[in-house]
Amino acid sequence: MKQDMIAVLDLGSEENPKIAREIRALGVYSEIHPHDITLAELKALPNVKGIILNGGPNRVVDGVSIDVAKEIYDCDIPALLVDHRGDAPWPADDGERETALKNFIFTICGAEANWNMDNFIADQVELIRNQVGDKKVLLALSGGVDSSVVAALLIKAIGKQLTCVHVNHGLLRKGEPEQVVQVFRDEMDANLVYVDAVDRFLDKLAGVAEPEKKRKIIGGEFIRVFEEEARKLDGIQFLGQGTIYPDIIESGTKTVKAVKSHHNVGGLPEDLDFELVEPLKMLFKDEVRACGKALGLPDSMVYRQPFPGPGLGVRCLGAITRDRLEAVRESDAILREEFAKNGLEGKVWQYFTAIPDLKSVGVRDNRRTEEWCVIIRAVNTVDAMTATVENVPFDLLQHIMTRITSEVKGVNRVLFDLTTKPTGTIEWE
Ligand code: XMP
């Protein structure tokens, strides 16, 4: 193992991710573990040079003050108690805090500042090989950042012992399924099962206008398709998952209640009993991107904007029809191309088009038309809870309007959504 580690043990602090990030910022790898970790489990973690007992307002659980096992206090690994309630106060001043942390990590624990992506990848490759042995791993590869980075890491670690399943449900953006095949099958030589499930999804969705019903159908059908593929493959014992650290935080810890339950690939039947391989579960999003870059994934995959699981399904408003689905896919591709050309890619947090189930009167080549309209949405946010609207230059909007109305079949109008969140949400359904 190449990296030293400082283990943060959660004694009810709300600042576990913050302190882990501060330690990583000093160049030392850090992981957060629950307070009831045993000494044997702690010792089994690679290269633990020190422990931070991170106490805080949630230290009292069900009337009892939680603590780590006595044997952990007594062991030979240096420990620092931080208590955000004031028993062992942690300096509020950032400079003092950094000095205290540096003193503990480097002077007392003797840790080395050897946390970087190359070392992280080397360590994870070793850990994955140890976990998996000569067995096989299955991964649902959507082409999103997290699943792509996990795929690249697993390919590096175990090559053809990994089978990736890419389900094309017909609701992906233009060029995405092709990019998944090109990057993973052609360039990385992965075992990739490409499932064309477009008709299957669109048939199930036909006539369904209610957004939550659409989401349920898409999620449920995805699991069924994936399950069918899993059953075709023999001897799979592990399931790779692109769980990242914020997913774990949102699902709650032993001391902090869940924000929301999180399922990356939830709901597989119980007889498909896989052990999980989750090599990114201790990384924050920016670190996942850095990992993907270090593994050679293209920027267009690593830095892509967030995209909802149900994909274009929730941007083709109301009951999905193939003509409107194509119109939203094509107009979205034009919007993305123009934003990239004009320096807005990477600046605007999320931008896309949506197509309502609405036709309006227009005129084309001196003839009256009755065609669809397309809505442009471009928003900025920190946490997706609130959002502001990007001030897109008017001449660029007009240029995009001209392109969409001339290049996208069946569209005669383009609208720009001025609404902040609240009162609007980012998506339209
Ligand atoms: P809203 O529309 O709630 O969106 O303001 C906030 C963020 O969440 C994304 N989003 C989804 N992501 N499944 C997802 O994985 C969904 O059903 C879903 N709905 C919204 C949205 O794109 C935005 O980034």
Side-chain angles (χ1 to χ4, degrees), residues 215 306-310 314-315 349-350 352 384-385 421 424-429:
R215 279 191 169 79
F307 186 60
V314 291
R315 295 178 181 170
W349 195 80
Q350 198 173 15
F352 55 86
M385 303 298 282
K421 175 180 182 176
T425 48
I426 294 175
E427 302 290 345
W428 267 62
E429 35 174 65

